[in-house]
Amino acid sequence: MDDHLKRLWRHRGATLPTPRRGPKQQLDLDEILAAAITLADASGLEAVSTRAVAARFGKTAMALYPYVGTKENLLALMQDQASAMPAGPAPQDHLADALTGWATALYEVYLAHPWLTERPWSQASQGPNEQDWMEALLAIFERFAVPPGSRPPAVTMLYATVRATAQTAAAYSRLTPADLETWRARAAAMPDSYPLSAALTPITPHWRDAPRAGLLAAVALLTAGLEAAPG
């Protein structure tokens, strides 16, 4: 197991590597990641650099390297740290409730850390906290005997829907009154050649609630499909 993986799995039995040169360890990895996550939460991923994080401890970027490795390693460590699952609810008696609980819990994590949705799936951290979500979802499928062939597409649909609705909610939170007026004016100017689009009923009368409402409706649709799928 290389040093980066040891750092990812340090709370799950892996021995955390320590700097091989220079003075004794002076920084704590969890504190470094907490500072980096706070920076990303406040200003986005573009504000995160080893220099910016190290400056919060009065250190140079080079001083941070023995603790986190490269910037990409830092981002992966942040990603996994911020993805920690909250304490799970009591087991549910119905598939719909279990999937809704899983999806809304992940949605809340993405709302708390919007930059997580900016990290592409190709850069999954391969860490324990991200894997916990997958294992929990697959355990729901197992408990409710979801047909094995339905599980892979259901995983894709759930992750994609949670991610997309959380991204939309984050974008909505950044809208200014001027942005909203512009959006409404453009919507009102839709040509008559799009009657079906113009007649589409909003999922909720309150547009700011639409991402969460859309997520819940999508989970309900998926659940109905899974329950109807042949075993």
Side-chain angles (χ1 to χ4, degrees):
M1 184 180 289
D2 65 25
D3 284 353
H4 176 62
L5 287 176
K6 288 177 182 177
R7 294 182 185 110
L8 277 172
W9 291 85
R10 65 195 181 282
H11 295 308
R12 307 291 179 97
T15 301
L16 185 66
T18 55
R20 298 182 179 88
R21 300 176 184 173
K24 281 189 173 183
Q25 184 166 337
Q26 298 175 342
L27 300 175
D28 178 82
L29 181 53
D30 286 335
E31 292 178 357
I32 292 171
L33 297 180
I37 289 168
T38 297
L39 183 60
D41 289 347
S43 304
L45 275 183
E46 64 274 7
V48 178
S49 66
T50 52
R51 183 186 300 276
V53 176
R56 297 200 165 202
F57 298 92
K59 303 290 184 181
T60 65
M62 286 302 296
L64 209 64
Y65 183 84
Y67 298 91
V68 300
T70 65
K71 179 183 176 180
E72 183 53 41
N73 291 155
L74 170 63
L75 294 176
L77 289 165
M78 290 168 55
Q79 180 176 338
D80 194 67
Q81 186 94 336
S83 297
M85 290 185 69
Q92 302 294 323
D93 294 328
H94 301 284
L95 176 61
D97 294 334
L99 291 182
T100 297
W102 181 93
T104 54
L106 183 56
Y107 178 86
E108 292 296 336
V109 168
Y110 286 159
L111 288 188
H113 309 290
W115 52 272
L116 282 173
T117 64
E118 298 173 23
R119 296 277 293 164
W121 281 321
S122 61
Q123 293 176 321
S125 71
Q126 306 297 322
N129 288 321
E130 283 201 315
Q131 193 59 44
D132 285 343
W133 288 97
M134 176 67 80
E135 195 70 9
L137 179 55
L138 295 178
I140 292 171
F141 291 161
E142 187 70 18
R143 182 181 176 210
F144 291 98
V146 171
S150 298
R151 298 182 189 187
V155 167
T156 299
M157 293 170 68
L158 282 165
Y159 271 100
T161 303
V162 174
R163 186 184 184 96
T165 52
Q167 282 179 323
T168 301
Y172 281 1
S173 71
R174 295 190 294 268
L175 286 177
T176 66
D179 293 332
L180 182 55
E181 287 305 313
T182 299
W183 184 88
R184 285 173 171 163
R186 289 174 178 171
M190 184 182 299
D192 293 339
S193 55
Y194 297 96
L196 297 179
S197 298
L200 187 65
T201 303
I203 196 168
T204 172
H206 305 291
W207 64 272
R208 287 191 185 274
D209 297 334
R212 184 182 294 273
L215 171 63
L216 296 178
V219 173
L221 280 174
L222 175 62
T223 302
L226 292 175
E227 290 177 334

